[in-house]
Amino acid sequence: MMKIALKIFLLFLLTDTVAQYNTSELTRKFSEYSAQWPNRKIHLIFNQDKFSPGDTVYFKGYFLSEDLSGVAGNQVIDLHLVNSSGNSVLHLKFSTTDGVGKNQLVIPPSLPQGFYVVTAYSSWMLNFDPSFFFKKRIAVVDKNGLTLQSDQKIRAAVEGGRLINGLKNKVIIHADANSVVQIIDSSGANVGHTLTDSTGIGIIHLLPSESNSYFAQRIGDDNKANLPAVQRDGLGISVSRSANGSTKFNLTPTATVRGKELSAIATSRGKVFYHHSFSAESGGIELLIPRENIPEGVARLSILDRNGELLANREFYSEGTVRANVQVNVEKKYFHPRERVSFEISLADEKGQPVEGEFSISAISRDLQVLGIQNSLADELLVQSCLKEPYTIDRHDSTWIFKLNDVLIFNTEEIPWNQILMGKVPKPAHTLSNFIQMKGKVSLLDSSVKKLPDGMDILFYLQRTGIRYQTTVDRGQVWLAVPALTGEDEMLYLGEDRYYVNEQPHGEEVPGLKIDWEKTTPKFQAAPLFKETEKPDPYASFAAKNKLINKSYGFYLAKASPPPRTITSNELVSGDVNINVQEYTLFPTMADLIKEVIQFLQHRRIGERDRVLASLTEDMSLQSTGDPLYIIDGVATKNTSFFLSLRPSELLSVKVVISAKKLKPLGMLGKNGIVMVTTKKGNAREPLDNSKLVQGLNSVVDFTTHSYADNSSAHLPDFRSTVLWEPSLKTSKDGKAKIDFYASDNLGGLNVRIDGITAQGVPFSREVTLHVVNEFKK
């Protein structure tokens, strides 16, 4: 009896000490979590949305915090062009400064036509689900048009994230447009069906039983989507809107939840904007969140009990009350080819007061692009960035908010309240980075050497930029962090095992190092499948004709040549021994040249290995660990075999550096001496090892504007799909900005689009259609 009583007492004590959380405590802990795990986002704006192989895609990049302010400093962004198999066919890096950047990518001329997804993310975003990376579908057309092909997938989600026994649950299903979908139970019985709309969305209300399981299915198709397991108890939740645009939630508790003290927490942009404590009544609860309380965009309501257990959650769209209004003041809308187009942009807040802002502007030939319904910048930043799948908001549809709220049911990603309240939120594995970062496993090419020395130093040297970076191998791994260099560079790395003799530091070079670099590329969302139409695509035809015209008139686009090497033998260090090889007898091998001509160098054969040693000054010889560094036609290498394979008859000069004054500042790079070789052709090098290439930032190429003020190019045709692309414009303090450009020779509609963000972090967009005609209408 004593044991039973003790167990009852301990159980009571344990139950009584379960943490109790009020609304203030929940708010505080969420704020701490958001500070540790801010949800930053990337958005790209393109000059157009349809391209042809060989085209240049210009884009502006935003990297923003949750309040839509720019992420401070310089940040490196990865961009991939992903095909319908989910594979990256093009990869580049670009940077943003205080949240804004610009760059471009070139569609490979050999790229097959189809739909592709431009995917962009930062190192920080690798901490999150890749589904929330920036994704934008573009079309690449070469001949015929493209149409989307059904992927035959069916998805289903439950409002509130839970199926609750005995309560009517709203189930939203996504399948092909205008298809009949149903919910079946474990016996195969149909318990509800509906017809999906033009966007593929269908809604079924289900009264589930705890003893059953349920599936969504397209009638006539065997593919199924599992619905969540039915819970015995819980809290039903549904969302609607009041007449003034506020959001209304109806909560229906089951018996075990009734009478409990609950907390409602509404979060948006990483902050708690609304919280309320209430008692769960048997007749249901109605919560009204005024639109003034929540900023515009996607928000989330979480309902928790006093123990911190999440009972229901629901994402919803808040209209907010803060606005940015942009007006385009243009004197006329019809222009002749090559006529100057001028207009003024006015930017104001919801009260009509002028505000400052930065924006991009594009003008494209309307007939050549896919200019259907498009999301505004606000829709992209405040809605699409919160969704896993592409979604277009049609604001001309009076029911667009209701449809969007239904789509948000698919976003059942829950805030990890349990981890937050228990203090078990993990630390992010990835940080923001303004460096090019690489991580690799170090091994030895010589298989007879079984063990890599512990604590080995590695020096990295970048050939083009001359950057040096020294680090230590840790448990066979090495990390390389390089400043955000531009373009591609080639690395040389040296390894050295350190030890001490009589408290004096010594080292021994570790030859034959190999580094297998870890690939951090995440799994990408594949581009949609497509079918070719029977009709030629207008843009593909235009692009093909334009290439012929440009070729006929000699408009060859010069391919960007790689930048010249910035590190040459003379710039690195001058030689202590300088030999003009052609002044001597032309010996057949480098070994003979070393023996007979080159002072302070010795060639030895040790076992099966050739060695070259430099005769260094006494203080340097104590630090020497191996063969010298060779700089052959400006390219540094430690490959003695390659150096010895050179033919003296093909050389112009050899220089040897042995003085401590010149070598010591170079550290590991110069501690064994330096041999500099110049060949007659000037291009001798060992075979390129792709694993030693470092991909830096993509160089920025500005969009070429055309001016016809002086009529200097009147004889040259001008057919461009994008007539204007300015990614970095600003309004003045009075909210004004003036735009000038010249129309091209294309006749027809010219779509002008403006996208930007005010200094207060409010996005704005505006579109205006102008017309280029031969004759004005009377």
Side-chain angles (χ1 to χ4, degrees):
M1 288 295 293
M2 287 293 293
K3 290 183 179 180
I4 295 175
L6 180 60
K7 288 181 179 179
I8 294 174
F9 173 75
L10 291 174
L11 181 61
F12 169 79
L13 185 63
L14 180 63
T15 304
D16 193 51
T17 56
V18 170
Q20 300 284 300
Y21 302 99
N22 57 34
T23 304
S24 298
E25 184 73 2
L26 293 171
T27 300
R28 182 183 66 82
K29 286 190 172 287
F30 179 80
S31 298
E32 293 173 353
Y33 164 74
S34 293
Q36 185 179 358
W37 284 86
N39 191 4
R40 301 178 175 99
K41 61 186 69 178
I42 289 173
H43 182 72
L44 306 184
I45 299 171
F46 300 90
N47 65 308
Q48 54 189 55
D49 58 2
K50 186 188 289 186
F51 302 91
S52 185
D55 281 354
T56 298
V57 182
Y58 294 92
F59 63 86
K60 176 178 185 174
Y62 284 112
F63 187 26
L64 304 174
S65 301
E66 291 178 281
D67 61 358
L68 300 190
S69 62
V71 176
N74 295 323
Q75 305 295 336
V76 176
I77 309 297
D78 281 271
L79 181 148
H80 291 262
L81 189 64
V82 182
N83 63 16
S84 56
S85 298
N87 298 321
S88 172
V89 296
L90 183 148
H91 175 218
L92 62 84
K93 297 175 183 288
F94 70 97
S95 68
T96 59
T97 301
D98 295 332
V100 182
K102 63 179 181 178
N103 215 279
Q104 72 293 315
L105 64 95
V106 177
I107 303 293
S110 60
L111 190 71
Q113 76 168 18
F115 289 114
Y116 293 85
V117 174
V118 179
T119 304
Y121 57 92
S122 71
S123 57
W124 171 256
M125 294 171 68
L126 292 172
N127 293 304
F128 298 86
D129 186 342
S131 298
F132 294 105
F133 290 172
F134 170 80
K135 302 181 294 295
K136 174 72 172 180
R137 185 177 70 213
I138 64 172
V140 176
V141 290
D142 190 29
K143 186 177 180 181
N144 290 351
L146 305 175
T147 59
L148 291 175
Q149 182 176 324
S150 171
D151 60 6
Q152 301 297 316
K153 290 181 181 178
I154 184 169
R155 297 186 299 144
V158 181
E159 187 168 26
R162 294 155 172 79
L163 272 180
I164 302 172
N165 179 59
L167 297 183
K168 184 176 288 188
N169 295 259
K170 183 178 182 179
V171 180
I172 182 167
I173 300 172
H174 183 262
D176 291 333
N178 305 313
S179 59
V180 180
V181 293
Q182 63 180 346
I183 295 178
I184 58 174
D185 62 16
S186 54
S187 67
N190 183 337
V191 295
H193 65 275
T194 188
L195 178 69
T196 61
D197 62 17
S198 60
T199 66
I201 297 296
I203 297 171
I204 299 175
H205 289 88
L206 173 66
L207 189 67
S209 169
E210 181 187 2
S211 61
N212 218 328
S213 54
Y214 300 90
F215 311 88
Q217 185 181 46
R218 185 189 296 104
I219 290 181
D221 188 358
D222 292 334
N223 293 323
K224 298 178 183 178
N226 296 341
L227 270 63
V230 181
Q231 296 184 2
R232 175 178 300 176
D233 300 299
L235 185 71
I237 184 172
S238 63
V239 65
S240 58
R241 296 177 72 247
S242 64
N244 64 357
S246 298
T247 306
K248 183 166 59 176
F249 292 89
N250 293 300
L251 309 177
T252 307
T254 58
T256 57
V257 179
R258 294 170 193 155
K260 285 187 175 182
E261 290 294 320
L262 306 180
S263 292
I265 308 290
T267 56
S268 176
R269 305 192 190 184
K271 296 181 180 180
V272 173
F273 283 94
Y274 171 88
H275 56 81
H276 178 62
S277 298
F278 59 95
S279 177
E281 303 296 337
S282 59
I285 307 101
E286 184 178 284
L287 294 179
L288 187 68
I289 301 181
R291 59 184 297 189
E292 297 82 6
N293 287 38
I294 307 287
E296 182 180 7
V298 174
R300 182 185 295 277
L301 181 71
S302 300
I303 308 294
L304 300 98
D305 65 15
R306 290 294 303 276
N307 296 329
E309 180 184 354
L310 182 65
L311 301 180
N313 77 111
R314 177 67 155 92
E315 286 198 348
F316 63 99
Y317 176 78
S318 169
E319 290 184 84
T321 56
V322 179
R323 292 286 185 273
N325 300 307
V326 58
Q327 298 295 326
V328 178
N329 305 311
V330 58
E331 293 183 359
K332 60 180 184 177
K333 291 191 175 182
Y334 289 87
F335 298 86
H336 285 134
R338 306 197 181 194
E339 184 179 353
R340 183 178 180 179
V341 181
S342 301
F343 54 87
E344 184 180 67
I345 293 173
S346 300
L347 185 61
D349 62 17
E350 69 277 4
K351 298 178 181 179
Q353 297 299 313
V355 293
E356 295 181 67
E358 64 80 41
F359 61 96
S360 64
I361 182 169
S362 63
I364 62 176
S365 297
R366 188 176 182 89
D367 298 337
L368 300 175
Q369 293 296 305
V370 186
L371 295 175
I373 299 171
Q374 298 184 74
N375 284 334
S376 67
L377 179 60
D379 291 337
E380 288 289 320
L381 291 176
L382 303 178
V383 178
Q384 181 58 65
S385 63
C386 303
L387 300 176
K388 294 183 178 182
E389 300 287 342
Y391 183 75
T392 302
I393 296 176
D394 182 3
R395 291 180 179 265
H396 298 292
D397 182 351
S398 61
T399 64
W400 70 268
I401 291 182
F402 299 96
K403 291 180 178 179
L404 174 58
N405 276 327
D406 285 339
V407 169
L408 288 173
I409 293 176
F410 282 114
N411 263 32
T412 53
E413 297 279 330
E414 298 180 350
I415 296 172
W417 284 107
N418 184 55
Q419 292 181 350
I420 294 172
L421 298 178
M422 296 294 290
K424 295 182 178 180
V425 177
K427 292 183 179 180
H430 304 274
T431 61
L432 288 172
S433 176
N434 58 353
F435 288 84
I436 306 298
Q437 299 185 66
M438 301 171 69
K439 178 183 176 183
K441 184 178 180 181
V442 185
S443 60
L444 298 171
L445 291 174
D446 187 352
S447 58
S448 64
V449 181
K450 296 183 178 180
K451 187 177 180 182
L452 197 71
D454 292 328
M456 179 179 64
D457 286 338
I458 289 189
L459 174 73
F460 293 92
Y461 171 67
L462 299 189
Q463 306 271 12
R464 180 174 62 84
T465 55
I467 295 172
R468 282 180 285 156
Y469 178 84
Q470 186 167 330
T471 187
T472 302
V473 176
D474 181 14
R475 288 172 290 186
Q477 291 186 321
V478 67
W479 285 261
L480 174 62
V482 180
L485 57 94
T486 300
E488 194 174 61
D489 211 334
E490 180 183 357
M491 73 175 76
L492 166 75
Y493 44 81
L494 319 173
E496 185 177 285
D497 183 19
R498 292 174 296 147
Y499 59 91
Y500 287 83
V501 177
N502 297 325
E503 299 184 354
Q504 295 297 317
H506 289 269
E508 181 177 350
E509 186 172 319
V510 181
L513 288 181
K514 179 185 177 183
I515 301 179
D516 294 314
W517 297 106
E518 183 179 288
K519 295 182 180 180
T520 57
T521 304
K523 184 177 181 181
F524 297 121
Q525 190 172 88
L529 300 174
F530 65 93
K531 295 185 295 185
E532 291 189 13
T533 65
E534 296 180 358
K535 296 182 178 180
D537 182 86
Y539 180 74
S541 301
F542 166 84
K545 293 177 182 177
N546 198 32
K547 288 174 183 177
L548 288 175
I549 292 172
N550 288 343
K551 186 175 181 179
S552 299
Y553 281 82
F555 286 176
Y556 289 101
L557 294 176
K559 293 184 178 180
S561 58
R565 295 188 179 277
T566 57
I567 304 300
T568 66
S569 301
N570 291 330
E571 290 172 324
L572 184 63
V573 68
S574 59
D576 295 312
V577 176
N578 301 294
I579 297 172
N580 185 344
V581 178
Q582 299 304 309
E583 294 179 354
Y584 295 85
T585 301
L586 296 180
F587 293 93
T589 67
M590 285 298 297
D592 293 328
L593 186 67
I594 291 172
K595 180 179 178 181
E596 301 296 338
V597 177
I598 304 178
Q599 302 177 47
F600 303 110
L601 280 189
Q602 301 175 31
H603 169 248
R604 296 177 183 175
R605 182 77 176 177
I606 302 177
E608 297 181 357
R609 181 184 172 195
D610 284 298
R611 296 290 305 274
V612 171
L613 301 176
S615 300
L616 304 173
T617 56
E618 183 177 353
D619 54 344
M620 289 298 298
S621 63
L622 294 175
Q623 301 179 35
S624 178
T625 58
D627 293 13
L629 175 76
Y630 309 103
I631 302 178
I632 303 171
D633 287 337
V635 181
T637 180
K638 288 289 290 184
N639 191 336
T640 294
S641 296
F642 177 71
F643 168 70
L644 292 174
S645 71
L646 298 174
R647 295 177 180 273
S649 60
E650 297 173 351
L651 307 186
L652 288 178
S653 65
V654 176
K655 299 178 182 180
V656 182
V657 184
I658 58 173
S659 68
K661 183 179 179 180
K662 298 174 182 177
L663 296 176
K664 278 187 176 181
L666 300 176
M668 283 177 62
L669 205 62
K671 68 191 308 180
N672 299 309
I674 296 177
V675 179
M676 297 177 287
V677 179
T678 304
T679 70
K680 292 178 180 179
K681 292 184 178 180
N683 60 358
R685 61 157 299 135
E686 58 187 317
L688 180 64
D689 184 350
N690 289 327
S691 69
K692 293 184 178 181
L693 291 178
V694 178
Q695 183 180 10
L697 299 176
N698 199 41
S699 300
V700 176
V701 177
D702 290 328
F703 180 80
T704 302
T705 58
H706 289 218
S707 174
Y708 297 110
D710 56 4
N711 210 30
S712 60
S713 303
H715 64 290
L716 300 176
D718 179 11
F719 293 99
R720 291 169 290 146
S721 54
T722 297
V723 181
L724 172 68
W725 170 248
E726 289 283 358
S728 306
L729 297 176
K730 292 183 179 181
T731 61
S732 59
K733 291 183 179 180
D734 62 356
K736 307 286 187 181
K738 292 185 177 180
I739 307 297
D740 292 284
F741 67 97
Y742 288 85
S744 68
D745 293 336
N746 289 345
L747 299 179
L750 193 63
N751 196 76
V752 178
R753 175 156 178 157
I754 299 161
D755 293 289
I757 301 177
T758 70
Q760 293 73 35
V762 181
F764 59 89
S765 299
R766 184 64 187 270
E767 288 190 21
V768 175
T769 299
L770 307 178
H771 302 273
V772 180
V773 295
N774 277 326
E775 295 182 1
F776 295 140
K777 295 181 180 179
K778 295 182 180 181

